[in-house]
Every structure is written in structure tokens, then in C-alpha cells.
């Protein structure tokens, strides 16, 4: 048996591949285009491991996807590949529509043709798991209940709109063609190998480099945060026991305003890697211009996956964030490697006009 992963060189995908091969010997075929966000360095620990086959390719390339399905005959596809950064989607939405919508469409069509030709047990066991985000549900007011699986879709950014479109395609391919799909909508992940343009790794990297810690707007935007290996275990649970056609919300029961996240990071860095001048990293906080259309609050009601599949996060925010800071302190070479010329251009593009 084999599974096919898309986007397995990115943040969550690479954690999933590493986690999968720690937990089982079932081989993984990993299809990833290696965009700026893809990094084979995340998978260095698997060099020479015959259970992992990496293929550089685009999910929009039907011939490539067909070839992999024919050659490896996976029992499941786990679809992570996406353009994933809201700020980038504001600067250039086109690539988000291409990968997140056209790419998902291409994969669904390839999966439909492949699954259609399977028979018996193989056909009955096949699954297409789509990895999505809580951002498709839009923004909550302070007293609104958290998002459930039946929440109305109200995406507000080009990123979340493109993910919402992909969720609808996945749903339609099940209802119309019977493709055996499952979908998970997860809150903000954090942990090792998180690309350092996202909030948590950016703050750690900037703090250590003596740079400003840019807080968008008033810093009171709320997100729910989940340690990445908990997301991986949730997907494993869905693959194993999830009901075909169902959606599962995945979250950490851990809503927090951005400014509190940053203060938590500052406390940990002050303890684990104090500034040479003895001052707190808090001195580097800089309030900057807000993100256009910035969603105020996301929160996940993760009771369905607990009730039906027995999944709950293993990490609390306190344990997960300490592990994360320790990982970044121990892996500064990884951070330096991804801070290439292209990464610096992004920092100029995203922060120059904000007054950071
Ligand atoms: P990421 O940006 O770190 O990684 C995306 C990966 O997909 C990269 O390796 C990239 O090279 C690859 N990729 C991009 N376009 C591709 C294409 N056309 N063909 C093949 N590969 C391509 O993203 P992530 O944070 O790991 O997110 C993974 C998935 O989880 C995404 O679908 C995202 O929407 C979803 N998600 C992320 C979060 C989060 O907090 N990061 C939360 C909920 C859901
Ligand atoms: P991000 O990590 O980009 O994830 P998302 O927008 O998908 O939730 O951002 C998390 C939150 O942090 C979001 O409310 C925007 C905010 N943020 C900042 O305040 N400053 C920053 O420099 C970045 C990158 C994000």
C-alpha cells in the first residue's frame, strides 16, 4: 500500500510525511512543485529512505498526476499543495487561483479516472483527503460561537476564496461522481519548518536578528492555534476512520490575540536566548499598517472530530510554543537557508509600505 501526498515539501506537508513514516512503514509518494514555500531541506532526515519517493511536479499537470497514479497505485491521496499566505494572495492572487482551484480540479479529475478504474476492495478503500482552512468561514464577531462544519462560507481574502472554491469542488466531485472524499478545515498551525514569513517564525527570526516585530493594526485579531503534529494526527484519524463525504473541523481549543502570541514568544526568547544588552525583545515591537480586509477572529469548534473519531490535540499552547521556539533556536541554519534573495524581496514588498 502507498499514499500520494501533494505539497509534502511545505510546512504541514513535510511534517505530515515525517510523522507518517515515524508511525508506519507505508510508503509515501510526495508530489511538490517546490515553489518558494517548498523546501527539500525539511525532508533531509529521509535521504536514502526507500519509503519516501519525491517527485518535483505541478498538481496542475494532469499527465504528471496520471503517471504517478498509474505507477504507484496509491490507496489514498492527501492534498496539501496550495498557495497558502494571505499577504501574498493580496499582492498576487493569480497563482492562488491557479494552484488552489485549477490544481485541485486537475487532481480531482485524475483521481476520478483512477478510482473509476479500480475494482472491489481497492475501489472501496480509496480516499481523497482535502486539507483546507478555517478561513473559508470568514470572520467572527467577539461573541459569535466558533465555526462548526455547517457554518456558512464567507471567505474574505483571495487566499480563503480560492480555498473555499477548492472545498466546493471536492464536495461536488463526491456528490456528482461519488468520489470518496473527506475534507478537514483546520485553524492556524505552528511548529517546526514553518516558513519564516508567517507570524510565529517571522517574530522569532526578527527578534533574534534585532529587527522590528511588525504587529498589523492593533494586534487584537484572534486566531486559534494548533501544533502541527496534532494536525497530522487529525488527518491520520480521518484517513483511517473518517466517513466518506464528511467535513471535519480541526482546532487547538486555543484562541489568542496576535499580540498575546508575540508576548509569549518574547517571554520565551528572553528566557532561552536573552538579548546581549539585557533588554527585553519587547523593545522591538512595532505597530504597522494593517492588512487590507484583515479578518478579526477565527475560532474552531472541534467537537465533531472528537466525538466521531476520538481525536483531540495532544499539545497545549504552552507545550507546543516552547517546543517551537526551542526548535527555531536549534535550527537557525535552516532559517538562514530559506532566507534567500527571493525571501528578502518579499519582506521589502510586504513591509516597506507599512512603516515597519
Ligand atoms: P506551504 O505554503 O508551507 O506549503 C505548500 C506546498 O505546496 C509547498 O511545498 C509548495 O512547493 C507546494 N506547491 C505549491 N503550489 C504547488 C503546485 N502547483 N503543485 C505542487 N505543489 C505545489 O503551506 P502549508 O502551510 O504547509 O499548508 C498546507 C495546506 O494546509 C494548504 O492547503 C493550506 O491551505 C492548508 N492549511 C494551512 C494552515 C496553516 O496554518 N499553515 C492552516 C489550515 C490549512
Ligand atoms: P499569518 O501567519 O499570515 O496567518 P493567517 O493570516 O493565515 O492567519 O498571520 C497570522 C496573524 O498574524 C494574522 O492575523 C496576521 C498577523 N500578522 C502580523 O500581525 N504581523 C505579521 O508580520 C504577519 C506575517 C502576520
Amino acid at each position: 500500500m502507498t499514499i500520494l501526498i501533494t505539497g509534502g515539501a511545505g510546512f504541514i506537508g513535510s511534517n505530515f510525511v515525517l510523522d507518517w513514516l515515524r508511525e508506519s512503514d507505508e510508503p509515501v509518494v510526495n508530489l511538490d512543485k517546490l515553489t518558494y514555500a517548498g523546501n527539500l531541506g525539511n525532508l533531509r532526515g529521509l535521504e536514502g529512505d526507500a519509503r519516501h519517493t519525491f517527485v518535483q511536479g505541478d498538481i496542475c499537470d494532469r499527465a504528471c498526476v496520471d503517471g504517478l497514479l498509474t505507477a504507484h497505485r496509491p490507496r489514498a491521496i492527501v492534498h496539501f499543495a496550495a498557495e497558502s499566505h494571505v499577504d501574498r494572495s493580496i499582492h498576487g492572487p493569480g497563482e492562488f487561483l491557479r494552484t488552489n482551484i485549477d490544481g485541485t480540479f486537475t487532481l480531482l479529475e485524475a483521481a476520478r479516472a483512477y478510482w473509476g478504474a479500480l475494482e472491489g476492495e481497492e475501489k472501496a478503500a480509496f480516499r481523497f483527503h482535502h486539507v483546507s482552512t478555517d478561513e473559508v468561514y470568514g470572520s467572527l464577531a467577539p461573541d459569535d460561537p466558533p465555526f462548526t462544519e455547517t457554518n456558512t462560507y464567507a471567505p474574505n481574502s483571495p487566499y480563503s476564496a480560492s480555498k473555499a472554491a477548492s472545498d466546493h469542488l471536492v464536495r461536488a466531485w463526491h456528490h456528482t461522481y461519488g468520489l470518496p472524499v473527506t475534507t478537514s478545515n483546520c485553524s492556524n498551525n505552528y511548529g517546526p519548518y514553518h516558513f519564516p514569513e508567517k507570524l510565529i517564525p517571522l517574530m522569532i527570526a526578527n527578534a533574534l536578528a534585532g529587527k522590528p516585530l511588525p504587529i498589523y493594526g492593533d494586534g487584537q485579531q484572534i486566531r486559534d492555534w494548533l501544533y502541527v503534529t496534532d494536525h497530522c494526527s487529525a488527518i491520520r484519524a480521518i484517513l483511517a476512520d473518517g466517513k466518506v463525504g464528511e467535513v471535519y473541523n480541526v482546532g487547538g481549543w486555543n484562541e489568542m490575540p496576535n499580540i498575546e502570541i508575540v508576548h509569549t514568544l518574547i517571554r520565551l526568547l528572553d528566557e532561552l536566548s536573552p538579548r546581549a544588552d539585557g533588554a527585553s525583545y519587547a523593545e522591538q515591537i512595532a505597530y504597522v499598517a494593517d492588512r487590507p480586509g484583515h479578518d478579526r477572529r477565527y475560532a474552531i469548534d472541534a467537537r465533531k472530530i472528537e466525538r466521531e473519531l476520538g481525536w483531540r490535540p495532544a499539545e497545549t499552547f504552552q507545550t507546543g510554543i516552547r517546543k517551537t521556539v526551542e526548535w527555531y533556536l536549534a535550527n537557525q541554519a535552516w532559517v538562514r537557508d530559506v532566507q534567500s534573495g527571493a525571501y528578502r524581496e518579499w519582506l521589502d514588498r510586504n513591509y516597506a509600505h507599512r512603516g515597519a
Side-chain angles (χ1 to χ4, degrees), residues 261-274:
I261 298 283
V262 174
H263 279 297
T264 304
L265 293 171
I266 287 169
R267 273 195 301 279
L268 283 165
L269 288 170
D270 283 344
E271 174 199 329
L272 299 170
S273 183

Side-chain angles (χ1 to χ4, degrees), residues 85-86 135 188 197-199 202 214-216 221 223 258 291 294 351:
H85 190 181
V86 175
E135 305 196 20
N188 284 54
E197 67 183 21
K198 302 280 177 87
L199 178 74
L202 179 98
I215 314 286
Y216 294 171
Q221 304 83 3
R223 301 287 183 267
N258 293 339
R291 170 188 281 173
H294 199 170
Y351 294 99

Side-chain angles (χ1 to χ4, degrees), residues 26-352:
E26 185 176 0
V28 176
V29 177
N30 182 353
L31 171 63
D32 195 297
K33 187 178 171 187
L34 294 182
T35 67
Y36 79 93
N39 182 356
L40 283 179
N42 301 2
L43 299 163
R44 200 157 284 147
L46 296 176
E47 266 168 27
D49 189 328
R51 298 172 304 167
H52 178 236
T53 303
F54 181 79
V55 179
Q56 183 170 8
D58 191 329
I59 56 167
C60 299
D61 178 348
R62 175 72 191 265
C64 169
V65 178
D66 282 345
L68 290 178
L69 292 172
T70 307
H72 297 280
R73 302 187 62 78
R75 67 165 177 103
I77 298 174
V78 185
H79 175 31
F80 293 95
E83 287 292 334
S84 70
H85 190 181
V86 175
D87 291 320
R88 283 188 188 254
S89 81
I90 294 167
H91 287 276
E95 206 47 34
F96 285 70
L97 272 59
R98 202 188 78 86
T99 285
N100 300 359
I101 305 177
D102 281 354
T104 302
F105 163 68
T106 305
L107 269 185
L108 285 167
E109 280 293 82
R112 181 162 77 91
Y114 168 71
W115 168 76
L118 295 177
E119 285 176 1
E121 266 299 293
E122 259 192 319
K123 183 164 193 168
F126 182 76
R127 293 289 181 276
F128 182 105
H129 182 71
H130 177 56
V131 180
S132 193
T133 165
D134 58 358
E135 305 196 20
V136 297
Y137 300 124
S139 187
L140 291 168
D143 297 328
D144 284 343
F147 301 128
T148 66
E149 290 78 0
T150 54
N151 223 93
T152 309
Y153 271 44
N156 291 318
S157 71
Y159 164 65
S160 54
S162 67
K163 290 297 291 189
S166 70
D167 293 8
H168 293 323
L169 293 176
V170 171
R171 178 188 160 90
W173 260 241
H174 172 63
H175 281 267
T176 304
Y177 304 113
L179 189 70
V181 306
T182 47
T183 294
S184 51
N185 292 87
C186 186
S187 57
N188 284 54
N189 287 214
Y190 67 99
Y193 303 115
H194 204 180
F195 196 76
E197 67 183 21
K198 302 280 177 87
L199 178 74
I200 288 178
L202 179 98
M203 292 297 164
I204 299 171
N206 278 17
L208 296 173
K211 292 185 182 162
L213 308 180
I215 314 286
Y216 294 171
D218 62 4
Q220 294 302 329
Q221 304 83 3
I222 292 172
R223 301 287 183 267
D224 172 67
W225 293 91
L226 180 72
Y227 192 66
V228 63
T229 51
D230 279 326
H231 190 184
C232 298
S233 69
I235 294 171
R236 276 206 315 276
I238 297 168
L239 265 187
D241 297 314
K243 220 169 126 207
V244 165
E246 291 291 311
V247 172
Y248 297 92
N249 279 359
V250 180
W253 298 106
N254 178 60
E255 280 184 61
M256 223 182 253
N258 293 339
I259 189 68
E260 249 183 70
I261 298 283
V262 174
H263 279 297
T264 304
L265 293 171
I266 287 169
R267 273 195 301 279
L268 283 165
L269 288 170
D270 283 344
E271 174 199 329
L272 299 170
S273 183
R275 270 174 43 156
D277 64 1
S280 169
Y281 290 103
E283 293 201 349
Q284 291 164 232
I285 286 181
Y287 286 88
V288 300
D290 207 351
R291 170 188 281 173
H294 199 170
D295 284 339
R296 234 17 223 175
R297 175 177 168 237
Y298 305 136
I300 279 275
D301 180 337
R303 281 179 297 179
K304 175 176 170 182
I305 188 169
E306 178 168 6
R307 193 173 58 242
E308 295 188 6
L309 306 181
W311 176 89
R312 259 192 86 81
E315 300 288 344
T316 64
F317 188 68
Q318 285 65 33
T319 58
I321 198 70
R322 180 173 279 274
K323 279 189 190 178
T324 303
V325 171
E326 285 170 348
W327 188 88
Y328 277 92
L329 289 173
N331 289 278
Q332 291 184 52
W334 179 89
V335 176
R336 275 195 301 277
D337 279 354
V338 294
Q339 287 173 326
S340 62
Y343 174 79
R344 281 196 293 276
E345 276 162 34
W346 163 253
L347 292 185
D348 285 346
R349 189 141 50 99
N350 192 42
Y351 294 99

